[in-house]
Amino acid sequence: MSSTTRINLLRHPLTMACLTLMSMPGMAISYGVYDSRALAMGGSATAIGSHAQAAFYNPALLAFHDKEEEVGRDGRVYLPSIVVQVSDATEAAVNAIDDELDTRLSSAINTFNAAPTIESAGQVAGSAQDLSDALDDIANQELSIDSFIGFTVSEPSNREGGAFYFGTRLIGGGLANVTEADSALLDDYIDSMSQVAAGADLTTVATQYPQLINANGQLIDPTSTLTSNADISALAISEWGMAMAKQFEWRDYAIAVGITPKLMRVDAFRDTADFNDSLDSAEEGVDELSDTQATHITLNADFGIAATIKEHYRVSLTLKDAFEKSFTTTQEPDPVTGEEAPELKVTLSSRARFGVGYVHEKFSVGLDYDLGEAKPMANEAGTQELSLGAEYRVFDTLALRAGYRNDQTGLRDNLISGGIGYQWKRFVVDVAYASGGDYRGGGLQLGWTF
């Protein structure tokens, strides 16, 4: 099996429309960011979200509207809505795979065995160093991906409203184990071949590193003996949802309730991958992980309630994916023993969130807080987010946004975000960017009003 494939198996639970994943402590299933406005505002949207966002974050928000649809003309279509959040280390791993570091090392070793010169020894040392650096990056940093692509149609009316959306969210996480033995072995190749490249006697160096030489006196290709492995899990969640909401008056409070029933297709992936799966290419590695795919069709629902107090202050409580679901993945028999492998489980848990905010035509600010820690899909770390966001409308057509997101578990870096929204006649565009530690996110959505 090639090192490109090995690195793939340490990071590839699935490739959907855009990126592949490799994992160390990865992401549990957070509440989610589904559009550019929320990404720019730190993920804060359950209390101060717009009508167009309601279907994703809090369906009750659809009812905070006091005009008939044909009068207000506040209906909105977004197509597409794209959000990608990924760690820098994941991008580095993808680049390492594209560079085919394993092929380069194997080729350098073959060249050296055919002609053991100073130059060919230097190529082996350099290739081994590149592969070692890539594995070090994988072992020491979190690699994760959380992305969404979809569209939504929303139409608020007089104290009620409805919306429809379709989208796919791709989430990946797991645990990668890059062993000390692998690092030590690559260090031996680097040290020994660096000595030869510096002019040391090959026989003397071979005596110092006998574990690198086979019975024929040639340098062994290490790419078939590495022992690192990974427990990888991923979900590709496709949803068809229809949100609806109604507002009620109670004393001086406007209280809205909403529900989003939805049909879900969940593609679950989970595998334990190692360096000894007898694969010949990266493509075969992806295919093997794809063999664990199991598709499930299920129903679920989101619930939301929100209240407006003294016209501009708002509180909310939401429950996303209210019914916990567990999905099994298909496992291939053990390649060595032939024993049937037990089915592995990936869990989609419900997530509750509390929100407060101040909402005004010109300025809005809100805070969202997860009421509990999101459960892991498999063996990765959990997450519990606190999100703070603000929006200021400079003109009727231009909105400036900023946000902050904190993981209450302390396991991930804080994110700072920003973005703008612009409307020209009936055309709308929203863009956002988020950054924190080695984590980056970007969002884009295009739409029009009707």
Side-chain angles (χ1 to χ4, degrees):
M1 171 182 176
S2 71
S3 280
T4 299
T5 299
R6 291 181 212 118
I7 299 176
N8 268 303
L9 291 177
L10 290 173
R11 58 175 285 298
H12 261 101
L14 73 103
T15 303
M16 197 74 178
C18 44
L19 294 171
T20 53
L21 162 79
M22 175 192 159
S23 305
M24 236 188 86
M27 298 184 70
I29 302 178
S30 64
Y31 197 88
V33 175
Y34 305 90
D35 73 303
S36 295
R37 185 175 187 263
L39 180 65
M41 297 170 68
S44 176
T46 63
I48 63 171
S50 66
H51 309 118
Q53 296 175 285
F56 297 121
Y57 304 101
N58 183 358
L61 300 178
L62 281 163
F64 289 125
H65 191 263
D66 58 4
K67 298 177 182 178
E68 298 293 341
E69 57 266 32
E70 63 271 12
V71 176
R73 299 185 68 86
D74 290 323
R76 187 160 292 187
V77 175
Y78 273 119
L79 178 66
S81 182
I82 302 172
V83 174
V84 176
Q85 301 176 85
V86 64
S87 67
D88 290 346
T90 301
E91 295 184 36
V94 172
N95 292 335
I97 293 167
D98 290 339
D99 290 341
E100 297 184 337
L101 299 182
D102 65 312
T103 302
R104 287 166 50 187
L105 178 56
S106 294
S107 177
I109 288 174
N110 291 335
T111 300
F112 177 81
N113 285 332
T117 64
I118 290 176
E119 291 76 14
S120 61
Q123 292 176 3
V124 174
S127 297
Q129 184 68 66
D130 290 341
L131 181 56
S132 177
D133 290 343
L135 291 181
D136 285 345
D137 289 340
I138 291 166
N140 298 325
Q141 297 189 44
E142 178 177 298
L143 295 92
S144 56
I145 183 171
D146 187 350
S147 65
F148 177 82
I149 181 169
F151 77 90
T152 181
V153 180
S154 60
E155 187 167 10
S157 185
N158 186 16
R159 294 178 172 80
E160 60 185 12
F164 169 79
Y165 74 91
F166 169 75
T168 297
R169 184 182 181 191
L170 170 63
I171 316 162
L175 287 172
N177 174 33
V178 177
T179 64
E180 293 184 4
D182 287 353
S183 298
L185 179 61
L186 289 174
D187 286 343
D188 287 345
Y189 277 85
I190 295 166
D191 293 342
S192 61
M193 290 297 99
S194 294
Q195 291 182 39
V196 175
D201 179 69
L202 179 58
T203 303
T204 302
V205 173
T207 302
Q208 295 174 346
Y209 298 91
Q211 72 276 18
L212 308 186
I213 307 300
N214 64 19
N216 297 322
Q218 293 194 314
L219 192 62
I220 299 170
D221 185 345
T223 59
S224 61
T225 60
L226 301 178
T227 58
S228 299
N229 56 43
D231 180 16
I232 302 168
S233 59
L235 290 179
I237 307 170
S238 299
E239 297 182 354
W240 296 259
M242 182 170 291
M244 58 199 83
K246 182 71 175 178
Q247 184 187 135
F248 303 92
E249 298 294 330
W250 183 71
R251 296 185 180 179
D252 295 329
Y253 307 117
I255 301 175
V257 295
I259 182 174
T260 307
K262 53 191 180 182
L263 174 67
M264 306 174 71
R265 167 180 164 153
V266 180
D267 292 297
F269 301 75
R270 187 173 176 190
D271 195 14
T272 300
D274 58 40
F275 280 83
N276 300 307
D277 287 344
S278 301
L279 302 179
D280 297 323
S281 68
E283 290 73 19
E284 286 188 31
V286 175
D287 289 343
E288 182 168 285
L289 273 170
S290 297
D291 289 341
T292 72
Q293 176 181 346
T295 299
H296 306 265
I297 305 296
T298 187
L299 297 174
N300 216 315
D302 303 338
F303 296 93
I305 184 170
T308 299
I309 305 169
K310 295 187 180 298
E311 189 176 357
H312 295 298
Y313 298 93
R314 190 175 293 167
V315 296
S316 67
L317 181 64
T318 56
L319 184 63
K320 195 163 188 67
D321 296 323
F323 309 103
E324 183 173 299
K325 306 284 185 177
S326 292
F327 309 101
T328 57
T329 61
T330 301
Q331 299 297 302
E332 295 294 318
D334 187 283
V336 177
T337 66
E339 294 181 0
E340 292 293 329
E343 290 183 335
L344 296 178
K345 184 171 69 173
V346 179
T347 300
L348 175 63
S349 301
S350 58
R351 288 92 71 202
R353 176 168 281 200
F354 173 75
V356 295
Y358 174 84
V359 182
H360 190 273
E361 290 181 358
K362 287 292 185 181
F363 176 74
S364 296
V365 59
L367 182 145
D368 283 3
Y369 179 70
D370 291 339
L371 295 181
E373 184 175 314
K375 296 179 182 179
M377 289 186 296
N379 293 327
E380 76 278 9
T383 184
Q384 184 176 9
E385 294 180 345
L386 182 148
S387 301
L388 177 66
E391 177 183 73
Y392 178 70
R393 302 197 73 86
V394 183
F395 311 107
D396 290 340
T397 57
L398 178 64
L400 305 180
R401 298 158 183 159
Y404 167 83
R405 197 186 327 169
N406 169 263
D407 184 358
Q408 297 285 285
T409 67
L411 298 176
R412 298 176 181 85
D413 293 318
N414 300 329
L415 289 178
I416 303 296
S417 55
I420 61 172
Y422 180 74
Q423 181 173 343
W424 179 72
K425 296 183 178 180
R426 296 198 175 279
F427 176 73
V428 181
V429 59
D430 297 281
V431 295
Y433 179 75
S435 176
D438 77 334
Y439 204 67
R440 303 288 181 270
L444 169 68
Q445 56 186 21
L446 306 175
W448 61 93
T449 62
F450 62 91

